[in-house]
Amino acid sequence: MPRSEPGSSRRPLADHSRSHASRGAGRRYTDGMSTTTVVDPAAETAQHRLARAKEASRSIARLNSGEKERALEAIAGAIESNAADIVAANRVDIARGREAGIGDALIDRLRLDDKRVAALASAVRDVAALPDPIGQVLGGHRMPNGVALEQVRVPFGVVGAIYEARPNVTVDIAALALRAGNAVVLRGGSAARESNTILVEVMRGALGGVGVDPEAIQTVDDFGREGARALMQGRGFIDVLVPRGSAALIETVVTESTVPVIETGAGVVHIVLDESAPVEWARDIVVNAKVQRPSVCNAVETVLVLRQAAPLLVPVVANALQSEGVAIHGDDVVAGLVSNVIPATDEDWATEHLSLDISMKVVDTLDDALAHIRRYSTGHTESIITNDSRNAERFLAEVDSAVVMANASTRFTDGAEFGFGAEVGISTQKLHTRGPMGVSELTSTKWLARGAGQTRG
Amino acid sequence: MPRSEPGSSRRPLADHSRSHASRGAGRRYTDGMSTTTVVDPAAETAQHRLARAKEASRSIARLNSGEKERALEAIAGAIESNAADIVAANRVDIARGREAGIGDALIDRLRLDDKRVAALASAVRDVAALPDPIGQVLGGHRMPNGVALEQVRVPFGVVGAIYEARPNVTVDIAALALRAGNAVVLRGGSAARESNTILVEVMRGALGGVGVDPEAIQTVDDFGREGARALMQGRGFIDVLVPRGSAALIETVVTESTVPVIETGAGVVHIVLDESAPVEWARDIVVNAKVQRPSVCNAVETVLVLRQAAPLLVPVVANALQSEGVAIHGDDVVAGLVSNVIPATDEDWATEHLSLDISMKVVDTLDDALAHIRRYSTGHTESIITNDSRNAERFLAEVDSAVVMANASTRFTDGAEFGFGAEVGISTQKLHTRGPMGVSELTSTKWLARGAGQTRG
């Protein structure tokens, strides 16, 4: 089993250290006459952690499947045996969050209790049980001149993640990254600092215990905004960066990054109720998509109802939602059919509520519904409820989102539901991967060419 | 056959047009007392072209395979029948380039003669003959609750390209984008302006002639730097941006873009001559990789020779290169074995010469060669010449480049050689695609879910 070289794992790459120190990793003293910079070679920067992750990624890439399974099993075991400390650290985060007035939906995402810690460990074991994608031969052929070409799956190298205060993401992404032979650099939301610190410590300890370089898991949480900036600008060290969280966080990462980004998550998710929508499907699917877990990205935010069916469907669906405590932001037609409707503003159509709020609008035609979706969708998930297979197929073909559904709840857009094990996120971009991302989506490929002296004519 | 709606194809998307005009698409007059902005609603901006491409992409995405083939055939035919005008326009570019003192390698890339115009048309026909990737079902399964999941290949939407003065890229990328059901927005090097203008005009005319929306092919060449900026910042309009050209151009695009980018091309390509390298393979492959077409990215730039084999290999390989007019930038050991060696500087190891220059260095071990490659490679292509299959397999496994070869010329890293038809570029990033990119690499995927009222438990 590979082991990090003694004494080397804590040292940054020599070149990088030099260039960085000369840019002022040390402290600066002013003596009134001149300014002297005293370089402290021991001062650790976020870039050093990136460099150590890159260095570690080489040995991680060479682990075989069994070695990676043992490393993940060690992580799962260590999470279980440190459960009490993890929950205690999380309590500190929760208390600080309550003091800071964080809303219930965010507190729910932040919370770790015994059951959720057990679920974390179990998710790691699920990832360990997934097939190893590395080394898979994706294709190949012999060139006419006899050179043998082969395309194989390889790790990315170093996966970066920037996310909000959800400690389960810390473990999920580290486990998925490792399964795919990658090192990982994590930057979680500051509200989950205590939880993330102990989780990273526990995971690194577990790796060291089975002879895997613990430098393969890094956090830059303690560098604040500078840590996030180092990730976003980490060309040469970060091979892919995955932001997970609010639209604002994702926008920042996409705009400021010079490393390749996989855009995830923000979901202004639509359900269209077609003229032929069976009433019970419409009611049950909308209620499930809004109420089952309102704080996540695959929850529905806007319901579009075809005008001809509105008198039948709007009261049934709206009453069912209201009896579950959902506030309806509706247009005039909706307000004319149901009581207690908050008048919808233009902003509502573009809003990811992530709460027990829903926007509801009546449209004249399926064309109008499609146009509304084109304008306001974030490309995550949309579903149509219909009994008309022509409309269903048109919707499936024309809606340009990661997941397009007919007659199913948008809550199914999820790595576990799709059978991928734990999930890195839901990609809403078109490059590399689209929709729920599992282990295979954290890999790249390379081409191998084996010849016998061939030259190009 | 789909046809753009009458009168609509020239109109920008209403919303976009409004917001842009209010940001000052018009002219500004100063009368000495106050500043008045007169908005000219007819003023066309680069953003309008992006919006028109996006609008057109919807009808292009719905073309079936036969319709796309007819469109490409029309383009090929139009290029042939306008060959004289194309060559004449190109002569203007060449003359201006010579006046501006552009080097021979760049003039070679810029030049279109009758033979090369015929090759352009023929490349378009090759693309038309490629299998249509759109609609391909990549996988799927039924969820335990009965929802049928299917992953299908879909177009990106709008492909953007920023490239240098190579008019063949204008045609290659437009053809590949169309084959994959995409609209395209092009920004070529200003030195090829006349050539690109006529090529885009000819291609748009050909599309219009067969009832395909000509707005699917756009150029923003006439907006200068503003055109490039519009592409790089075109979120919501550009689904993927492909830069092709020098390291500096690619660096700019990667740094300034907020749209997803596929990094291509820059190649500091290495060949390692192992201790067991057969002398003739070493000589023939290095000469072929350097001399056959020195101005392209898969040409070798640095040769690393294992010390034990240096006295045998360096003179043979260096003399063969020198007799082809190649200047050798060598280290001290190389200079001691061959005459007329230019002393290599540190900069040489990081340089993509793109000319009849080559860097040559002697290294102690294969480890040293791998370390040199890790430090200086741009991740394009590296090859080892060896008779030792253990070293060959180690090199193939450990080198982290798009294409890794044993005993073959690096010139084989090429879409046509790989059997992809015309090529969009060589991806040197790990996201989405790596190595030569063909039609399939210009597509995305989406998930379709067909249910019967299922909700999540």
Side-chain angles (χ1 to χ4, degrees), chain B residues 4-139:
Chain B
S4 56
E5 291 160 47
S8 78
S9 61
R10 271 316 230 178
R11 260 188 293 138
L13 296 179
D15 284 326
H16 186 73
S17 149
R18 234 187 358 251
S19 76
H20 193 84
S22 69
R23 269 189 261 122
R27 265 156 309 198
R28 170 171 278 220
Y29 300 99
T30 306
D31 62 10
M33 290 296 288
S34 67
T35 302
T36 314
T37 300
V38 179
V39 175
D40 175 3
E44 194 185 46
T45 67
Q47 283 85 352
H48 289 144
R49 301 235 180 113
L50 268 54
R52 286 211 299 277
K54 186 75 186 174
E55 182 73 18
S57 74
R58 292 172 47 210
S59 66
I60 300 300
R62 288 202 287 273
L63 296 178
N64 67 33
S65 196
E67 289 164 342
K68 286 181 279 192
E69 282 160 34
R70 275 194 293 279
L72 289 167
E73 176 51 47
I75 285 175
I79 287 171
E80 286 169 339
S81 57
N82 288 280
D85 289 348
I86 293 168
V87 172
N90 182 257
R91 267 198 215 106
V92 177
D93 287 331
I94 296 277
R96 211 181 39 212
R98 289 234 182 269
E99 230 166 78
I102 289 180
D104 284 349
L106 294 180
I107 290 285
D108 172 55
R109 289 169 171 222
L110 175 55
R111 185 189 313 284
L112 289 178
D113 51 25
D114 286 341
K115 207 174 132 196
R116 287 196 180 169
V117 170
L120 283 184
S122 151
V124 173
R125 288 202 178 92
D126 289 347
V127 170
L130 294 172
D132 187 348
I134 300 306
Q136 198 184 340
V137 177
L138 299 173

Side-chain angles (χ1 to χ4, degrees), chain A residues 262-408:
Chain A
I262 300 180
E263 199 173 335
T264 68
V268 177
V269 167
H270 296 78
I271 294 180
V272 174
L273 306 182
D274 194 21
E275 287 163 8
S276 64
V279 179
E280 288 182 14
W281 289 6
R283 183 194 61 202
D284 295 350
I285 288 175
V286 171
V287 169
N288 179 259
K290 179 77 257 179
V291 173
Q292 201 223 8
R293 198 166 179 198
S295 65
V296 291
C297 62
N298 58 19
V300 66
E301 302 297 358
T302 299
V303 176
L304 302 171
V305 189
L306 272 286
R307 186 173 300 276
Q308 211 184 307
L312 171 64
L313 294 176
V314 169
V316 175
V317 173
N319 291 338
L321 286 166
Q322 286 175 332
S323 75
E324 298 278 349
V326 177
I328 294 169
H329 304 242
D331 68 359
D332 291 347
V333 184
V334 171
L337 291 165
V338 207
S339 51
N340 294 319
V341 168
I342 302 162
T345 62
D346 272 358
E347 213 188 318
D348 277 316
W349 312 125
T351 298
E352 188 181 16
H353 297 294
L354 295 174
S355 60
L356 288 174
D357 291 83
I358 201 165
S359 310
M360 195 177 286
K361 185 182 186 175
V362 171
V363 293
D364 288 334
T365 62
L366 184 54
D367 280 311
D368 293 338
L370 291 167
H372 181 101
I373 289 170
R374 260 200 309 281
R375 179 155 178 192
Y376 291 108
S377 167
T378 52
H380 188 294
T381 301
E382 334 293 338
S383 186
I384 187 170
I385 316 303
T386 183
N387 217 358
D388 179 330
S389 63
R390 217 156 85 164
N391 286 356
E393 292 305 315
R394 188 180 163 205
F395 190 83
L396 291 167
E398 293 192 20
V399 173
D400 188 22
S401 297
V403 185
V404 192
M405 301 178 164
N407 300 319

Side-chain angles (χ1 to χ4, degrees), chain A residues 156 235 254 288 292 393 396 399 402 404 406-407 409 411 430 432 434 444-447 449-451 453 456-457, chain B residues 156 254 288 292 393 396-397 399 402 404 406-407 411 430 432 434 444-447 449-451 453-454 456-457:
Chain A
F156 267 123
R235 276 171 68 71
V254 166
N288 179 259
Q292 201 223 8
E393 292 305 315
L396 291 167
V399 173
V404 192
N407 300 319
S409 170
R411 290 276 296 122
K430 296 183 184 174
H432 186 70
R434 203 172 182 204
S444 182
T445 56
K446 73 179 182 188
W447 289 94
R450 294 179 177 89
R456 187 158 164 189
Chain B
F156 267 123
V254 166
N288 179 259
Q292 201 222 10
E393 290 306 313
L396 290 168
V399 173
V404 192
N407 299 320
R411 291 276 295 124
K430 296 183 185 174
H432 186 71
R434 206 171 180 204
S444 182
T445 56
K446 73 179 181 187
W447 289 94
R450 294 178 177 91
Q454 286 89 341
R456 186 159 165 191

Side-chain angles (χ1 to χ4, degrees), chain B residues 191-455:
Chain B
R193 198 172 52 219
E194 303 295 329
S195 315
N196 287 339
T197 300
I198 189 168
L199 286 169
V200 167
E201 203 176 288
V202 164
M203 290 192 291
R204 285 171 58 103
L207 291 188
V210 293
V212 173
D213 189 349
E215 302 295 347
I217 301 178
Q218 300 284 344
T219 171
V220 290
D221 282 1
D222 45 328
F223 293 104
R225 268 206 58 77
E226 184 47 45
R229 194 159 25 234
L231 269 172
M232 294 189 287
Q233 305 285 328
R235 276 171 68 70
F237 296 95
I238 300 297
D239 294 290
V240 62
L241 179 56
V242 183
R244 265 185 74 164
S246 70
L249 177 139
I250 291 163
E251 179 72 21
T252 301
V253 171
V254 166
T255 308
E256 294 188 16
S257 290
T258 57
V259 298
V261 168
I262 300 179
E263 199 172 335
T264 69
V268 178
V269 166
H270 296 78
I271 294 180
V272 174
L273 306 183
D274 194 21
E275 286 164 9
S276 64
V279 178
E280 288 184 12
W281 289 6
R283 182 194 62 202
D284 294 350
I285 287 175
V286 172
V287 169
N288 179 259
K290 178 78 257 178
V291 173
Q292 201 222 10
R293 198 166 179 197
S295 65
V296 291
C297 61
N298 58 18
V300 66
E301 304 296 359
T302 299
V303 176
L304 301 171
V305 189
L306 272 286
R307 186 172 301 274
Q308 211 184 306
L312 171 65
L313 294 176
V314 169
V316 176
V317 172
N319 291 340
L321 286 166
Q322 286 175 332
S323 75
E324 297 279 350
V326 177
I328 294 170
H329 304 243
D331 68 359
D332 290 349
V333 184
V334 171
L337 292 164
V338 206
S339 51
N340 293 320
V341 168
I342 303 163
T345 62
D346 272 358
E347 213 188 316
D348 277 316
W349 313 125
T351 298
E352 187 181 16
H353 298 293
L354 295 174
S355 58
L356 287 175
D357 291 84
I358 201 165
S359 310
M360 195 177 286
K361 185 182 186 175
V362 171
V363 293
D364 287 334
T365 63
L366 183 54
D367 279 311
D368 292 339
L370 290 168
H372 181 101
I373 288 171
R374 259 200 309 283
R375 179 154 179 192
Y376 292 107
S377 167
T378 52
H380 188 294
T381 301
E382 333 294 338
S383 185
I384 187 171
I385 316 303
T386 183
N387 216 359
D388 178 330
S389 63
R390 218 157 83 164
N391 286 355
E393 290 306 313
R394 187 179 165 206
F395 190 83
L396 290 168
E398 292 192 21
V399 173
D400 188 21
S401 295
V403 185
V404 192
M405 300 177 164
N407 299 320
S409 170
T410 57
R411 291 276 295 124
F412 288 122
T413 297
D414 175 273
E417 294 288 328
F418 272 41
F420 298 169
E423 155 192 303
V424 183
I426 313 279
S427 165
T428 53
Q429 76 179 30
K430 296 183 185 174
L431 202 68
H432 186 71
T433 176
R434 206 171 180 204
M437 296 167 62
V439 167
S440 288
E441 282 66 42
L442 286 184
T443 64
S444 182
T445 56
K446 73 179 181 187
W447 289 94
L448 305 179
R450 294 178 177 91
Q454 286 89 341
T455 56

